[in-house]
């Protein structure tokens, strides 16, 4: 079994980065929303041979030893046969009675969390080998919670099992269930796994897993999604139930959706009951197959309305599909509780590229506000929110009357929108450095980048990549339920996170209305925070995806509510590295709306670690001044103070302080290299620590006063007459 190495810690001025170097190429990474019973976060990443599960944080596993038989005082085994015993095989009928009992894994954990651990460590890992590369992983759209709280309408299986779906490069789609509890070290070293190289392969049940094959596809999946539903028994239209006259029983089901590039695009949906305890004899066929006019780039289920599917048909539009509403009267074609064909409910159209009739490509789209709005990211760096159900903080639904916030026929208007910082070259190629204007341009990596950036038209946006991860935040007694949005575009230089979407939404509406946000009163100002210095953790690898981990206070992931820092840890996926980024406690944006920033003191345990520090330590001075003069330091004599202009006498020269001039005066002062004799002494000089505590609050008030004066000057500009003075 492959193990994840220890994290390499790198601290920057804004965050702390935990880098895990893996020995395989990573295709995708996913965070499971339910914690394990001992409080560990479960990460799943797909690679060229299957899926690896990582339990991070929580209580550690206790050290387990191999079970050995007890021995007596003479060193012999108690109850065992003597050395001269003879084994008599009576018949072959006794082989069944001596068969091996099935292995039962009983992992044991420590009672409490390790108080000396400064960051969540890897508790356990598990490899599920499928013999092929896994490109996509999907789980249920649940709010992150503890294991004892994971129950959706009485689905208690979520408290004990991990339920996720994977798609392979060989076109297979599997539904996998696995225990939430991490496997023990004794389970990995048992003898039955050493009998064959394929003994631990996924589907054999060695780890308590069940694998269900979902068939019907002819090409690999480009996107994957799943949801949990509980259909009513009255809508069950199974023909077998009608023939028998029995009343169907409403059971919990998992609906899996996958898109592949068959023909011009094909969308398939499977129905898998959760009560399926035994392994099916054959693969499950889809209950709906929708042939599309254009391929899709991503799909996701609505967390509230579980029958609605958000489809990204870039660059055409964003469409919403409901597989539960039939597009035609009920017929006898369908078998089961769902119709044979669903209904397309809505299409959302994005803006056009400047000076073009082509729409902007859509990099990613995701449900926000618990499935009542859509957050979209476009290829030119623009982001926006489509308010479908009118849930805007200043919308009609806020005052008690429901209504949609969508406007516009050809272009669906955003409720709020903006541009990601640093993406102006995607919109204005002329703003780039003009460079050489001659026809001949040497093909160097730098010139190729400039040539691509200066290309005109929408084709420059075709290769831009990006994504959106929406993480629901659990509500507590002090705060309401909110969501954190993490997005990236282009590379690791443009990774951003929104700590609280509802506060960010309200602040953007106030800003667009011109009212602004008061720094010391009113709504707390929020903004889109940029994560810097990510290349330190990726070490030259490109960013292929992002994720998020909720910091639960019960598991040691976060301090008490109201503490500083982001509510989530951002996971950046490289080609062969996973980087988990934790915002520092004194990072920008933690105090007074993101203005005051002060670096916190490191603990003794953190100072002794072998981490690579990306900035100088606070107790060390930033610069040291050296005196490279060839002459010694002298004291002013009384004669020189008198100002008579005479040369100093021998008595005056004897007043030189020997402690301040440890090096002798060179005999030839005109020699240009004479200062080299004092370099060693200058290097050993220790500068006194003159660090003074800054009054940050006073400085902030001064800056605010200057801003008010500048605003007043801008308001008065252009009014009245201007006085122009000419110097003669």
């Amino acid at each position: 079994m492959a193990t994840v190495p220890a994290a390499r810690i790198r601290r920057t001025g804004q965050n702390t980065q935990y880098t895990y170097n893996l020995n395989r190429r990573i295709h995708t990474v996913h965070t499971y929303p339910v914690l394990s019973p001992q409080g560990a976060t479960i990460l799943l990443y797909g690679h060229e041979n299957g899926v690896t599960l990582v339990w991070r944080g929580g209580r550690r596993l206790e050290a387990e030893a191999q079970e050995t038989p007890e021995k007596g005082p003479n060193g012999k085994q108690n109850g065992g046969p003597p050395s001269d015993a003879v084994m008599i095989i009576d018949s072959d009928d006794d082989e069944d009675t001596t068969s091996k009992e099935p292995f039962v894994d009983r992992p044991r954990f420590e009672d409490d969390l390790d108080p000396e651990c400064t960051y969540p460590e890897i508790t356990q890992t598990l490899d599920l080998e499928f013999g092929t590369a896994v490109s996509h992983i999907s789980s249920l759209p649940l709010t992150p919670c503890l294991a004892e709280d994971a129950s959706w309408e009485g689905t208690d299986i979520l408290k004990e099992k991990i339920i996720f779906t994977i798609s392979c490069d060989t076109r297979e789609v599997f539904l996998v269930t696995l225990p939430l509890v991490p496997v023990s070290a004794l389970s990995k070293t048992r003898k039955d796994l050493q009998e064959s190289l394929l003994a631990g392969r996924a589907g054999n049940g060695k780890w308590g897993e069940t694998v269900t094959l979902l068939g019907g596809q002819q090409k690999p999946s480009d996107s994957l999604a799943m949801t949990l539903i509980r259909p009513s028994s009255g809508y069950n239209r199974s023909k077998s139930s009608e023939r028998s006259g029995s009343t169907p029983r409403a059971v919990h089901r998992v609906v899996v959706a996958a898109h592949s590039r068959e023909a011009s695009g094909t969308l398939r949906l499977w129905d898998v009951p959760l009560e399926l305890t035994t392994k099916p004899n054959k693969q499950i066929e889809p209950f709906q197959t929708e042939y599309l006019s254009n391929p899709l780039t991503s799909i996701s289920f609505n967390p509230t309305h579980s029958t609605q599917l958000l489809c990204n048909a870039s660059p055409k539009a964003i469409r919403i599909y409901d597989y539960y509403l039939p597009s035609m009267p009920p017929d006898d074609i369908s078998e089961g509780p769902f119709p044979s064909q669903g209904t397309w409910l809505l299409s959302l159209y994005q803006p056009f590229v400047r000076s073009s009739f082509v729409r902007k490509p859509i990099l990613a789209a995701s449900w926000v506000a618990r499935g009542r709005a859509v957050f979209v990211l476009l290829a030119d760096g623009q982001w926006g929110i489509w308010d479908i159900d009118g849930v805007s903080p200043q919308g009609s639904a806020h005052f008690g009357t429901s209504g949609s916030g969508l406007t516009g026929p050809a272009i669906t208007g955003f409720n709020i929108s903006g541009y990601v910082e640093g993406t102006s070259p995607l919109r204005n190629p002329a703003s780039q450095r003009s460079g050489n204007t001659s026809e001949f341009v040497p093909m160097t990596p730098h010139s190729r980048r400039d040539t691509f950036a200066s290309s005109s038209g929408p084709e420059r946006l075709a290769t831009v990549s990006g994504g959106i991860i929406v993480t629901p935040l659990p509500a507590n007694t002090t705060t309401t339920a909110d969501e954190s949005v993490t997005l990236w575009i282009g590379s690791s230089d443009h990774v951003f996170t929104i700590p609280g979407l509802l506060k960010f939404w309200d602040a953007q509406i106030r800003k667009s209305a011109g009212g602004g946000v008061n720094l010391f009163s009113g709504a707390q100002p929020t903004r889109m925070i940029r994560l810097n210095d990510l290349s330190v953790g990726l070490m030259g690898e490109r960013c292929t995806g992002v994720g998020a981990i909720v910091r639960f206070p019960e598991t040691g992931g976060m301090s008490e509510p109201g503490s500083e820092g982001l509510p989530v840890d951002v996971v950046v996926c490289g080609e062969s590295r996973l980087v988990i980024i934790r915002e520092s406690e004194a990072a920008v944006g933690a105090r007074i709306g993101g203005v005051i920033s002060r670096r916190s003191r490191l603990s003794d345990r953190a100072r002794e670690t072998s981490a690579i520090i990306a900035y100088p330590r606070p107790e060390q001075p930033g610069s040291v001044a050296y005196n490279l003069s060839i002459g010694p330091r002298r004291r002013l004599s009384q004669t020189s103070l008198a100002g008579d202009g005479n040369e100093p006498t021998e008595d005056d020269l004897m007043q030189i302080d020997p402690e301040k001039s440890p090096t002798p005066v060179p005999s030839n002062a005109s020699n240009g290299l004479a200062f080299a004799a004092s370099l060693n002494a200058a290097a050993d000089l220790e500068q006194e620590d003159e660090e003074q505590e800054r009054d940050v609050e006073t400085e902030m008030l001064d800056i605010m006063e200057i801003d008010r004066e500048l605003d007043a000057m801008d308001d008065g500009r252009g009014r009245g007459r201007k006085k122009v003075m000419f110097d003669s």
Side-chain angles (χ1 to χ4, degrees), residues 339-384:
S340 59
Q341 189 175 2
T343 304
W344 293 97
L345 300 179
L346 182 65
S347 295
L348 306 173
Y349 298 99
Q350 73 276 19
F352 292 90
V353 180
R354 181 183 301 179
S355 302
S356 176
F357 58 89
V358 180
R359 295 184 185 272
K360 300 178 181 179
I362 303 174
L363 297 182
S366 180
W367 297 102
V368 293
R370 297 299 190 270
R372 295 176 293 177
V374 176
F375 192 99
V376 64
L377 177 64
L378 306 180
D380 66 338
Q382 185 181 9
W383 58 266

Side-chain angles (χ1 to χ4, degrees), residues 70 77-81:
E70 298 181 359
Q77 178 179 340
N78 287 338

Side-chain angles (χ1 to χ4, degrees), residues 165-168 170-175 211-221 224 256-260 262 266-272 280-291:
T165 311
I166 64 171
S167 63
C168 304
T170 53
R171 84 177 189 277
E172 290 90 355
V173 178
F174 296 100
L175 177 65
V211 178
T212 304
L213 176 60
L214 309 179
Q217 290 202 149
Q218 302 299 326
K219 289 187 178 181
S221 301
L224 196 65
V256 180
H259 170 265
S260 62
E262 299 179 23
T266 305
L267 179 65
R268 288 184 173 88
L269 294 97
W270 294 268
D271 176 25
V272 184
N281 298 327
K282 59 181 181 179
Q283 62 184 10
I284 297 179
E285 298 298 330
F287 68 88
Q288 277 188 15
T289 301
E290 187 78 14
Y291 295 98

